[in-house]
Amino acid sequence: ECRHANALVIYASVAEHRALDSELRTRESVSTVSDAVITATIDGIVESVNPAFERMFGLDASAIVGRNVSLLMSSGDQKTHDHYIANYKKTGKTTVIGRTRQLHAVRADGRTFPIELSLGELQRENDRLVVGVVRDITERKKAEEELQKAHGTLERRVAERTAELDKKRADLERLAADLTLARDQAEAANRAKSEFLANMSHELRTPLNAIIGFSDIIRDQSTGPLSLDAYCGYAVDINESGRPLLAIIHDLL
């Protein structure tokens, strides 16, 4: 029985040593990572932080261990955190463990900065711990903002260039319409000119032929020696042919 008891003591000591060694190794690994690591109870009470946390938040471990982790969050995210805790206590279910989300943390000097928070759960003998890995994404956010700004600038330039091209296209369309109208007007004017010349040719030649014809008769006395009556008749015909011609020439002028 003594040997059995001693064996149990030795086994317990070995197990305790292994557990302690595992915890030390874990702490050593956590202390070397570049991201901030926080362990807290289910209620949100901080139990430990690594050196990266102290550098990131500008806060000594002694200033936050034993206090609620919500002190590290912005006011808006504090309300969300309290809601998660209350819901977990009520239902025993959580929607944040095993997920990564973005929120704003508060440094020791009061400045807020964007972080990416990943939460996991660690089972202990009597309870559970929540392990949070915090990554400062300030530079990433700046890069995203610069990219978004550049994208907005590009969209604005594309819109401006598109507007310029639309204006030029509209101007070209108006110019094409003006040229089409000018062509149609020129063709109409050309047709009018042709009709005018044809009409004038008829309207001028007809009375001129009568004037010339009757003048030839009078000059050559083709119908015989001139008598007063015949002379007067020819004169009337010449007069009647000349007056319309004079009116036409007047209208042309």
Side-chain angles (χ1 to χ4, degrees), residues 17 29 42 89 117 122 140 148 171 186 188 214 220 227 235 252:
H17 176 75
S29 299
I42 294 299
K89 288 182 177 180
L117 176 63
L122 181 63
R140 185 202 302 177
Q148 187 175 6
D171 291 341
F214 285 118
D220 299 335
S227 65
L252 289 177

Side-chain angles (χ1 to χ4, degrees), residues 134-153:
V134 181
R135 176 166 295 176
D136 185 348
I137 57 173
T138 302
E139 295 303 320
R140 185 202 302 177
K141 286 295 184 180
K142 287 182 180 178
E144 290 176 354
E145 290 175 1
E146 290 297 327
L147 181 61
Q148 187 175 6
K149 183 179 179 181
H151 182 68
T153 300

Side-chain angles (χ1 to χ4, degrees), residues 166-242:
D166 288 342
K167 184 178 181 302
K168 289 182 178 179
R169 182 171 61 251
D171 291 341
L172 289 174
E173 289 176 352
R174 285 194 296 270
L175 178 60
D178 292 341
L179 291 174
T180 301
L181 178 61
R183 183 199 61 195
D184 294 342
Q185 291 175 342
E187 291 177 350
N190 189 57
R191 288 193 300 270
K193 181 188 69 174
S194 299
E195 293 174 359
F196 170 79
L197 292 177
N199 290 335
M200 289 303 97
S201 175
H202 172 75
E203 296 298 332
L204 292 175
R205 284 179 178 176
T206 300
L208 280 176
N209 286 332
I211 292 171
I212 294 171
F214 285 118
S215 298
D216 288 340
I217 293 173
I218 294 174
R219 184 196 59 193
D220 299 335
Q221 297 183 18
S222 300
T223 58
L226 290 175
S227 65
L228 182 59
D229 292 337
Y231 178 82
C232 289
Y234 295 153
V236 170
D237 291 336
I238 293 173
N239 186 270
E240 290 179 353
S241 297

Side-chain angles (χ1 to χ4, degrees), residues 5-178:
N6 290 335
L8 290 176
V9 170
I10 293 173
Y11 178 78
S13 298
V14 171
E16 182 179 355
H17 176 75
R18 288 179 177 175
L20 179 61
D21 183 64
S22 176
E23 182 177 354
L24 291 175
R25 288 176 180 274
T26 301
R27 290 183 178 180
E28 183 179 358
S29 299
V30 168
S31 66
T32 59
V33 298
S34 58
D35 292 333
V37 179
I38 307 171
T39 60
T41 65
I42 294 299
D43 291 328
I45 303 303
V46 178
E47 288 203 353
S48 67
V49 295
N50 69 338
F53 169 87
E54 297 178 319
R55 292 191 298 270
M56 184 181 296
F57 284 83
L59 197 65
D60 290 336
S62 59
I64 189 62
V65 171
R67 306 183 70 182
N68 198 294
V69 71
S70 63
L71 295 174
L72 303 171
M73 304 175 185
S74 64
S75 58
D77 290 322
Q78 283 180 0
K79 296 178 181 178
T80 304
H81 170 75
D82 294 340
H83 172 74
Y84 284 142
I85 295 297
N87 183 69
Y88 180 75
K89 288 182 177 180
K90 182 178 179 180
T91 64
K93 298 179 181 180
T94 175
T95 59
V96 295
I97 299 298
R99 297 178 59 185
T100 300
R101 60 195 182 100
Q102 294 183 5
L103 59 155
H104 285 82
V106 182
R107 301 188 197 274
D109 58 7
R111 291 180 300 154
T112 60
F113 65 105
I115 64 170
E116 192 173 72
L117 176 63
S118 300
L119 295 178
E121 199 172 41
L122 181 63
Q123 185 70 43
R124 291 198 301 193
E125 184 177 354
N126 298 321
D127 60 359
R128 286 176 292 179
L129 284 179
V130 175
V131 180
V133 179
V134 181
R135 176 166 295 176
D136 185 348
I137 57 173
T138 302
E139 295 303 320
R140 185 202 302 177
K141 286 295 184 180
K142 287 182 180 178
E144 290 176 354
E145 290 175 1
E146 290 297 327
L147 181 61
Q148 187 175 6
K149 183 179 179 181
H151 182 68
T153 300
L154 179 60
E155 285 186 338
R156 185 176 66 256
R157 289 180 178 176
V158 169
E160 291 173 352
R161 184 56 179 164
T162 301
E164 291 177 1
L165 292 176
D166 288 342
K167 184 178 181 302
K168 289 182 178 179
R169 182 171 61 251
D171 291 341
L172 289 174
E173 289 176 352
R174 285 194 296 270
L175 178 60
D178 292 341

